[in-house]
Amino acid sequence: MPGTRDAAMPFMGDAHVDDHGNFRLIKGGAGNFSAMFNVQRLLGDRLADVVDAMAPGGSGDPFAGLSNHGRGELANLYRLGYPRGDEWVIGQPSGTIWLWCSMADRLLAEDADYFDAFWTRPGYVGHDDPAQVVGDLIEQTATISRVLTPRDFLEGTEHFGPAFERMRPISMMLSAAAGLDLPIAVEIPGISGYKQGMGIRFLTGAAARRQLSCMYHADDIVLLESGGEASNLRATGVVAGDQVRLDNRAYLAYCYYYLHHVMDFEEWAFLSLDGVPIYPQHDLPTMSPFMGVPYSGQYEGKLMWIHHTHDASLWPPQGIAYRNAVERAQGIAGRDENFRLRWTENAEHVPAALVPSQPGRSSSTWLIDYRPVIEQCLADLTAWVEDGVAPQGSSFSYADGSITLPDTAAERGGIQPVLSVTANGSIRAEVKVGEPVRLEVTAEVPPGAGTFVAVAWDLDGSGAYAHAHDDIDGSETRLVRSMTHHFDEPGTYFATAIVHSHREGDVNATARRIPNLAAARVVVH
């Protein structure tokens, strides 16, 4: 009803844009995720080298040591907007693979011609360069040896190794919706090939003819997902000894899906020349109803859009699509009057604690908990609507799929502190065991965004931030703090400073404490 909605604040949104009043299902097939899945498949353990190159004090060259094909696919992933600095998440279990598992059957039905063409026609990798995929191919019949529930993952005492341990967070999330006793995984010994995304059809037993996909795996343990009723049932009725048919031809074809389903977004333009796609194209299928309908940019009231620089589920370029829609629908004047875009630096799709940590480096030493940012933005949105206090947006630039924020708080705007960290005056220091290292953090708060209320250091990768500066009194908008530390064991450390600001400078506040962090690399010989 007109006049009943004064304001809105989407965060982590995905802006598929169309004309006002169009309520059809959006199209796309989640093709950008197919590029991510392909990099995960092609690079495998070499992803660790990419992560190291893009971490603070790294070489900055993520392509070193990769094959030509791997280089090209990684470059395409970056151009499509995958966030630089969050490469670790490419190889970790996350909700993105759920999209493939939940819509695989529908894609195979709606887009059958593509999945056939990939293997049989010129212009597709499966036909033209099969060496890139046939080594990962799975087409076999196998036997279930065990069925597992979330309770087995969360309460079981048997040790299954690090890969199994990484499945516990997913099991916890699934148990919240389905309970502890729904069979969600099976053990299938003897699988040869690339397991993620493979189709799993039960051939015998009570679940015969049920089709699911591998959402994640740990050795022989396969976590199951699908769409519709199969998702509700998972491995219900399955017992040890049941036979399954395993086939990943569709998933391997999906790894190149983005090349043949070019979207009408700026970040996809590199896949066309003079407006004509480089590769054979197929019609875009509809997405799941869960993904909603298109946006138009036409609305009444005020809207503040919050997007994260390290979101591996809704990539940064998706954060500017709605701004462009508002410009198209309301003009630049309408955009300036009714719309703000704010970036949250170093934030993922979920709070840092829910992202798997790297070996020896907690996720909270490169990602923040964005929830205090949402709290403050809601307060600012309320002040905008009720009191006419226009909030400050964020400045940024965009090129090659990447969002770049200005180096200074005054230029960047928004509400989040801006900081940098050095070790012995540089982003990287190399020292001997026991040699003192001077660590320094320089930070500033954007104009009108408050003052600093806390500064602390994590030096061992634990995420504990045990070294706090106790002289922060809520009076400073710019600060420099330093400390000296020596490392007693050889290794690579990321000396990380986290700062918090607060609009009223309340050092005891429990809400709206706006975080940001930065790190320097210390290599100890």
Side-chain angles (χ1 to χ4, degrees):
M1 180 182 296
T4 60
R5 295 179 177 86
D6 294 323
M9 199 190 77
F11 61 100
M12 300 181 304
D14 183 9
H16 285 260
V17 177
D18 213 322
D19 294 332
H20 187 64
N22 188 333
F23 298 110
R24 64 169 177 77
L25 292 177
I26 62 176
K27 293 188 175 184
N32 58 330
F33 288 143
S34 72
M36 183 177 73
F37 298 150
N38 206 25
V39 167
Q40 182 185 56
R41 178 185 71 90
L42 290 169
L43 270 59
D45 292 342
R46 283 196 172 274
L47 268 173
D49 298 329
V50 176
V51 172
D52 183 77
M54 299 300 281
S59 69
D61 180 6
F63 305 106
L66 302 183
S67 68
N68 282 344
H69 190 62
R71 288 170 184 254
E73 290 300 302
L74 180 58
N76 287 352
L77 179 64
Y78 283 137
R79 291 189 185 104
L80 286 171
Y82 189 86
R84 276 77 152 168
D86 203 28
E87 291 80 5
W88 167 255
V89 177
I90 294 173
Q92 301 308 304
S94 70
T96 54
I97 187 62
W98 169 83
L99 269 176
W100 160 253
C101 297
S102 67
M103 65 185 181
D105 291 345
R106 186 164 48 78
L107 284 181
L108 287 166
E110 285 192 28
D111 205 5
D113 187 59
Y114 167 74
F115 289 97
D116 175 68
F118 179 81
W119 298 97
T120 61
R121 298 181 205 163
Y124 302 80
V125 169
H127 176 275
D128 296 347
D129 195 7
Q132 302 299 340
V133 288
V134 293
D136 287 331
L137 192 61
I138 297 174
E139 292 179 298
Q140 67 180 90
T141 300
T143 303
I144 301 293
S145 61
R146 182 165 44 159
V147 180
L148 297 101
T149 67
R151 191 181 302 278
D152 295 316
F153 288 98
L154 300 174
E155 300 178 4
T157 58
E158 184 178 353
H159 181 65
F160 293 93
F164 186 90
E165 293 296 322
R166 289 200 296 271
M167 296 179 74
R168 290 184 188 271
I170 294 180
S171 301
M172 188 177 301
M173 287 186 284
L174 292 175
S175 68
L180 287 171
D181 297 314
L182 176 71
I184 61 172
V186 292
E187 183 178 52
I188 311 176
I191 304 175
S192 178
Y194 191 77
K195 300 173 188 176
Q196 178 168 292
M198 68 179 174
I200 302 160
R201 179 176 291 275
F202 292 98
L203 301 176
T204 62
R209 295 185 297 278
R210 189 181 304 158
Q211 177 77 35
L212 298 107
S213 296
C214 171
M215 183 171 172
Y216 187 66
H217 65 89
D219 301 323
D220 294 333
I221 304 294
V222 175
L223 189 67
L224 303 170
E225 179 58 290
S226 186
E229 186 63 12
S231 178
N232 296 331
L233 294 172
R234 307 290 174 100
T236 299
V238 177
V239 297
D242 284 351
Q243 299 288 299
V244 291
R245 180 63 181 174
L246 309 176
D247 190 332
N248 71 345
R249 289 177 67 88
Y251 182 76
L252 294 177
Y254 184 69
C255 285
Y256 295 89
Y257 198 81
Y258 74 99
L259 297 176
H260 304 279
H261 298 81
V262 173
M263 302 282 286
D264 187 22
F265 294 117
E266 183 178 356
E267 64 268 25
W268 291 73
F270 74 96
L271 291 170
S272 299
L273 183 64
D274 298 330
V276 179
I278 300 168
Y279 301 96
Q281 293 298 295
H282 296 258
D283 291 339
L284 293 171
T286 57
M287 293 287 284
S288 163
F290 290 119
M291 306 306 292
V293 297
Y295 299 118
S296 69
Q298 183 64 52
Y299 57 86
E300 295 181 3
K302 309 295 186 184
L303 190 145
M304 184 183 294
W305 186 283
I306 314 299
H307 215 85
H308 303 164
T309 63
H310 285 59
D311 193 331
S313 296
L314 289 170
W315 302 352
Q318 293 167 298
I320 62 176
Y322 196 77
R323 182 199 66 167
N324 297 340
V326 175
E327 285 187 10
R328 186 182 74 167
Q330 303 187 36
I332 294 178
R335 179 204 68 187
D336 293 344
E337 177 69 21
N338 301 318
F339 177 80
R340 291 293 184 276
L341 171 61
R342 280 181 173 173
W343 291 99
T344 308
E345 189 178 29
N346 300 315
E348 244 284 7
H349 195 69
V350 293
L354 297 180
V355 176
S357 294
Q358 299 178 31
R361 189 182 182 196
S362 169
S363 58
S364 61
T365 64
W366 81 89
L367 296 170
I368 64 163
D369 182 347
Y370 59 78
R371 288 173 292 187
V373 173
I374 302 304
E375 294 170 351
Q376 183 60 60
C377 287
L378 282 170
D380 291 346
L381 182 62
T382 301
W384 191 13
V385 173
E386 295 183 352
D387 304 321
V389 180
Q392 183 174 215
S394 299
S395 298
F396 66 97
S397 60
Y398 172 77
D400 288 332
S402 179
I403 299 295
T404 301
L405 303 180
D407 292 332
T408 68
E411 293 177 298
R412 185 179 301 187
I415 61 173
Q416 196 178 19
V418 177
L419 71 158
S420 61
V421 167
T422 60
N424 289 346
S426 178
I427 191 66
R428 178 186 179 114
E430 302 213 13
V431 299
K432 297 177 181 178
V433 169
E435 182 179 341
V437 181
R438 177 180 171 81
L439 304 172
E440 184 171 275
V441 55
T442 301
E444 55 184 345
V445 181
T451 56
F452 287 104
V453 294
V455 180
W457 293 88
D458 179 273
L459 305 176
D460 59 5
S462 68
Y465 290 98
H467 305 268
H469 291 277
D470 57 9
D471 61 340
I472 308 300
D473 61 6
S475 65
E476 297 171 272
T477 60
R478 187 182 187 279
L479 60 78
V480 179
R481 294 293 189 275
S482 62
M483 65 175 297
T484 300
H485 184 74
H486 62 270
F487 296 87
D488 296 329
E489 298 289 340
T492 297
Y493 301 86
F494 291 92
T496 306
I498 189 167
V499 302
H500 290 83
S501 65
H502 188 266
R503 183 65 57 86
E504 288 80 41
D506 183 357
V507 296
N508 298 313
T510 58
R512 298 185 293 121
R513 295 171 65 94
I514 310 301
N516 204 355
L517 52 75
R521 182 185 304 229
V522 181
V523 181
V524 183
H525 300 290

PDB file of all heavy atoms in Angstrom, residues 179-192:
ATOM      1  N   GLY A 179      16.464 -31.501  12.250  1.00  0.00           N
ATOM      2  CA  GLY A 179      16.627 -32.348  13.416  1.00  0.00           C
ATOM      3  C   GLY A 179      17.896 -33.160  13.353  1.00  0.00           C
ATOM      4  O   GLY A 179      18.584 -33.225  12.322  1.00  0.00           O
ATOM      5  N   LEU A 180      18.198 -33.817  14.449  1.00  0.00           N
ATOM      6  CA  LEU A 180      19.466 -34.533  14.567  1.00  0.00           C
ATOM      7  C   LEU A 180      19.452 -35.913  13.926  1.00  0.00           C
ATOM      8  O   LEU A 180      20.511 -36.501  13.718  1.00  0.00           O
ATOM      9  CB  LEU A 180      19.852 -34.669  16.046  1.00  0.00           C
ATOM     10  CG  LEU A 180      20.339 -33.398  16.736  1.00  0.00           C
ATOM     11  CD1 LEU A 180      20.475 -33.648  18.239  1.00  0.00           C
ATOM     12  CD2 LEU A 180      21.674 -32.936  16.156  1.00  0.00           C
ATOM     13  N   ASP A 181      18.276 -36.430  13.598  1.00  0.00           N
ATOM     14  CA  ASP A 181      18.210 -37.832  13.197  1.00  0.00           C
ATOM     15  C   ASP A 181      17.832 -38.062  11.737  1.00  0.00           C
ATOM     16  O   ASP A 181      17.633 -39.205  11.321  1.00  0.00           O
ATOM     17  CB  ASP A 181      17.233 -38.573  14.110  1.00  0.00           C
ATOM     18  CG  ASP A 181      17.709 -38.575  15.561  1.00  0.00           C
ATOM     19  OD1 ASP A 181      18.909 -38.854  15.784  1.00  0.00           O
ATOM     20  OD2 ASP A 181      16.905 -38.263  16.451  1.00  0.00           O
ATOM     21  N   LEU A 182      17.714 -36.993  10.948  1.00  0.00           N
ATOM     22  CA  LEU A 182      17.484 -37.179   9.522  1.00  0.00           C
ATOM     23  C   LEU A 182      18.777 -37.694   8.872  1.00  0.00           C
ATOM     24  O   LEU A 182      19.832 -37.068   9.022  1.00  0.00           O
ATOM     25  CB  LEU A 182      17.071 -35.864   8.861  1.00  0.00           C
ATOM     26  CG  LEU A 182      16.887 -35.937   7.334  1.00  0.00           C
ATOM     27  CD1 LEU A 182      15.638 -36.732   6.995  1.00  0.00           C
ATOM     28  CD2 LEU A 182      16.821 -34.544   6.729  1.00  0.00           C
ATOM     29  N   PRO A 183      18.726 -38.807   8.136  1.00  0.00           N
ATOM     30  CA  PRO A 183      19.946 -39.289   7.457  1.00  0.00           C
ATOM     31  C   PRO A 183      20.361 -38.308   6.354  1.00  0.00           C
ATOM     32  O   PRO A 183      19.627 -38.128   5.380  1.00  0.00           O
ATOM     33  CB  PRO A 183      19.519 -40.632   6.870  1.00  0.00           C
ATOM     34  CG  PRO A 183      18.276 -41.017   7.608  1.00  0.00           C
ATOM     35  CD  PRO A 183      17.596 -39.718   7.952  1.00  0.00           C
ATOM     36  N   ILE A 184      21.505 -37.660   6.529  1.00  0.00           N
ATOM     37  CA  ILE A 184      21.926 -36.628   5.583  1.00  0.00           C
ATOM     38  C   ILE A 184      23.159 -37.018   4.780  1.00  0.00           C
ATOM     39  O   ILE A 184      23.536 -36.328   3.838  1.00  0.00           O
ATOM     40  CB  ILE A 184      22.225 -35.302   6.309  1.00  0.00           C
ATOM     41  CG1 ILE A 184      23.371 -35.483   7.331  1.00  0.00           C
ATOM     42  CG2 ILE A 184      20.968 -34.741   6.960  1.00  0.00           C
ATOM     43  CD1 ILE A 184      23.859 -34.188   7.938  1.00  0.00           C
ATOM     44  N   ALA A 185      23.802 -38.139   5.140  1.00  0.00           N
ATOM     45  CA  ALA A 185      25.050 -38.510   4.479  1.00  0.00           C
ATOM     46  C   ALA A 185      25.164 -40.025   4.419  1.00  0.00           C
ATOM     47  O   ALA A 185      24.553 -40.756   5.200  1.00  0.00           O
ATOM     48  CB  ALA A 185      26.253 -37.915   5.220  1.00  0.00           C
ATOM     49  N   VAL A 186      25.977 -40.463   3.463  1.00  0.00           N
ATOM     50  CA  VAL A 186      26.260 -41.891   3.324  1.00  0.00           C
ATOM     51  C   VAL A 186      27.748 -42.083   3.114  1.00  0.00           C
ATOM     52  O   VAL A 186      28.449 -41.179   2.638  1.00  0.00           O
ATOM     53  CB  VAL A 186      25.474 -42.515   2.152  1.00  0.00           C
ATOM     54  CG1 VAL A 186      23.983 -42.545   2.442  1.00  0.00           C
ATOM     55  CG2 VAL A 186      25.758 -41.773   0.841  1.00  0.00           C
ATOM     56  N   GLU A 187      28.208 -43.259   3.471  1.00  0.00           N
ATOM     57  CA  GLU A 187      29.601 -43.634   3.203  1.00  0.00           C
ATOM     58  C   GLU A 187      29.608 -44.555   1.996  1.00  0.00           C
ATOM     59  O   GLU A 187      28.891 -45.559   1.961  1.00  0.00           O
ATOM     60  CB  GLU A 187      30.209 -44.339   4.414  1.00  0.00           C
ATOM     61  CG  GLU A 187      31.683 -44.684   4.228  1.00  0.00           C
ATOM     62  CD  GLU A 187      32.262 -45.332   5.468  1.00  0.00           C
ATOM     63  OE1 GLU A 187      31.651 -46.325   5.950  1.00  0.00           O
ATOM     64  OE2 GLU A 187      33.303 -44.865   5.963  1.00  0.00           O
ATOM     65  N   ILE A 188      30.421 -44.181   0.989  1.00  0.00           N
ATOM     66  CA  ILE A 188      30.499 -44.957  -0.254  1.00  0.00           C
ATOM     67  C   ILE A 188      31.975 -45.216  -0.557  1.00  0.00           C
ATOM     68  O   ILE A 188      32.658 -44.358  -1.139  1.00  0.00           O
ATOM     69  CB  ILE A 188      29.850 -44.217  -1.436  1.00  0.00           C
ATOM     70  CG1 ILE A 188      28.456 -43.694  -1.076  1.00  0.00           C
ATOM     71  CG2 ILE A 188      29.777 -45.140  -2.659  1.00  0.00           C
ATOM     72  CD1 ILE A 188      27.808 -42.864  -2.162  1.00  0.00           C
ATOM     73  N   PRO A 189      32.510 -46.358  -0.170  1.00  0.00           N
ATOM     74  CA  PRO A 189      33.927 -46.642  -0.448  1.00  0.00           C
ATOM     75  C   PRO A 189      34.165 -46.842  -1.941  1.00  0.00           C
ATOM     76  O   PRO A 189      33.276 -47.244  -2.702  1.00  0.00           O
ATOM     77  CB  PRO A 189      34.184 -47.940   0.319  1.00  0.00           C
ATOM     78  CG  PRO A 189      33.059 -48.065   1.289  1.00  0.00           C
ATOM     79  CD  PRO A 189      31.882 -47.413   0.635  1.00  0.00           C
ATOM     80  N   GLY A 190      35.388 -46.511  -2.362  1.00  0.00           N
ATOM     81  CA  GLY A 190      35.835 -46.877  -3.703  1.00  0.00           C
ATOM     82  C   GLY A 190      35.449 -45.935  -4.807  1.00  0.00           C
ATOM     83  O   GLY A 190      35.514 -46.309  -5.986  1.00  0.00           O
ATOM     84  N   ILE A 191      35.080 -44.689  -4.491  1.00  0.00           N
ATOM     85  CA  ILE A 191      34.752 -43.730  -5.551  1.00  0.00           C
ATOM     86  C   ILE A 191      36.045 -43.230  -6.184  1.00  0.00           C
ATOM     87  O   ILE A 191      36.968 -42.810  -5.490  1.00  0.00           O
ATOM     88  CB  ILE A 191      33.951 -42.545  -5.003  1.00  0.00           C
ATOM     89  CG1 ILE A 191      32.689 -43.008  -4.289  1.00  0.00           C
ATOM     90  CG2 ILE A 191      33.588 -41.584  -6.139  1.00  0.00           C
ATOM     91  CD1 ILE A 191      31.914 -41.898  -3.609  1.00  0.00           C
ATOM     92  N   SER A 192      36.103 -43.248  -7.496  1.00  0.00           N
ATOM     93  CA  SER A 192      37.284 -42.785  -8.224  1.00  0.00           C
ATOM     94  C   SER A 192      36.881 -41.642  -9.143  1.00  0.00           C
ATOM     95  O   SER A 192      36.122 -41.840 -10.102  1.00  0.00           O
ATOM     96  CB  SER A 192      37.887 -43.928  -9.045  1.00  0.00           C
ATOM     97  OG  SER A 192      38.996 -43.486  -9.788  1.00  0.00           O
TER      98      SER A 192
END
